[in-house]
Amino acid sequence: MKPTRPFHQTPVIAIDGPTASGKGTVAALVAARLGFHLLDSGALYRLAALASVRYGIAPADHEALAALVSDLHITFREGCAQLDGVDVSSEIRAEEVGNRASAIAVHQDVRAALVARQRAFRKEPGLVADGRDMGTVIFPDAVLKVFLTASVEARAARRHKQLIQKGFSASMENLLRDLRDRDERDSNRAVAPLKPAADAKLLDTSSLSIDQAVEEVVGWYRER
Ligand code: DC
């Protein structure tokens, strides 16, 4: 019989960073390479944001939002995100959903309502978790913490390409403005702000290919 480790020893690789830093893509590829589970925590905030629009809850109404988040009926299956049994994987990628996610993510009670759901992703043989506070708040005991960065211009160019590929319209000027606003809000909020954990390894992906970034993270994990 395979020996089982206590829950807290199941390895977690935390990959945090600003929006469009490439963390989602890098996290998914690292998880595939290692055969680990994947948590895209931004998708949870985006699902909550989408639900808040559907149920007509204002971004400032944190009590109603926290109650909504606690009762959210969401599932992740084979890369698809479902809300109330309906696949909303494409819808949650829209910029306005990301901006609303950032707006509701400032509330302590909304974040608290998502903690247990995020930690439940920690399963054998391991987890790669990406977001803003994976290494600082959700998995402070992660075996490897990576903070991905890239210049705002490099990120806007990537996001532009992604959105066009997905059939959304996008302007570089608006994207640059939105990314700067979102960085500002995510970094300066009082609760779980976007910042590297003290023991995080910094990886600037501005001039790295995705493969190079993945190699670096897998290499760090293997040599730790
Ligand atoms: O990573 P993303 O762009 O999908 O995230 C959308 C928003 O959700 C982001 O701007 C801030 C919020 N978020 C957060 O506050 N904490 C996380 N761990 C992940 C996302």
Side-chain angles (χ1 to χ4, degrees):
M1 216 170 75
K2 247 168 88 188
T4 51
R5 286 180 281 212
F7 166 78
H8 62 274
Q9 284 178 14
T10 301
V12 176
I13 299 177
I15 303 186
D16 289 305
T19 198
S21 56
K23 63 188 165 21
T25 312
V26 171
L29 290 170
V30 170
R33 275 277 290 279
L34 299 173
F36 280 14
H37 300 278
L38 179 68
L39 165 61
D40 169 4
S41 62
L44 289 177
Y45 285 92
R46 285 168 182 267
L47 283 161
L50 186 62
S52 75
V53 175
R54 293 211 174 148
Y55 292 100
I57 301 175
D61 189 350
H62 62 98
E63 281 171 10
L65 286 168
L68 170 78
V69 164
S70 304
D71 290 344
L72 270 188
H73 179 53
I74 52 187
T75 35
F76 290 99
R77 206 167 292 138
E78 289 160 15
C80 290
Q82 295 186 335
L83 179 62
D84 296 330
V86 179
D87 184 1
V88 290
S89 318
S90 308
E91 233 173 303
I92 58 168
R93 293 295 141 206
E95 276 310 280
E96 62 266 26
V97 177
N99 288 332
R100 192 166 176 117
S102 167
I104 69 171
V106 301
H107 304 304
Q108 165 61 37
D109 41 4
V110 171
R111 305 194 70 83
L114 282 171
V115 170
R117 273 186 205 260
Q118 294 175 86
R119 292 195 177 140
F121 280 77
R122 186 175 201 167
K123 290 196 190 121
E124 291 293 330
L127 174 69
V128 180
D130 94 65
R132 304 291 186 292
D133 59 345
M134 298 297 100
T136 50
V137 177
I138 306 298
F139 302 110
D141 61 341
V143 288
L144 173 65
K145 300 178 186 178
V146 179
F147 194 83
L148 281 195
T149 53
S151 66
V152 72
E153 292 78 13
R155 292 190 283 127
R158 281 181 198 157
R159 179 53 57 84
H160 188 260
K161 197 168 146 200
Q162 249 175 20
L163 288 170
I164 299 293
Q165 274 169 357
K166 288 184 177 152
F168 292 110
S169 64
S171 99
M172 275 300 279
E173 200 185 322
N174 291 348
L175 278 172
L176 273 168
R177 194 197 51 228
D178 283 359
L179 286 187
R180 289 198 175 102
D181 286 354
R182 192 115 75 92
D183 285 355
E184 166 87 15
R185 191 166 44 219
D186 292 350
S187 308
N188 294 321
R189 67 183 175 218
V191 200
L194 168 68
K195 65 160 200 260
D199 49 351
K201 286 182 177 286
L202 300 186
L203 185 59
D204 187 330
T205 64
S206 308
S207 54
L208 289 186
S209 69
I210 288 167
D211 285 349
Q212 286 169 321
V214 171
E215 282 310 316
E216 190 77 327
V217 176
V218 171
W220 281 336
Y221 176 69
R222 296 217 158 113
E223 77 195 19
R224 88 206 183 280

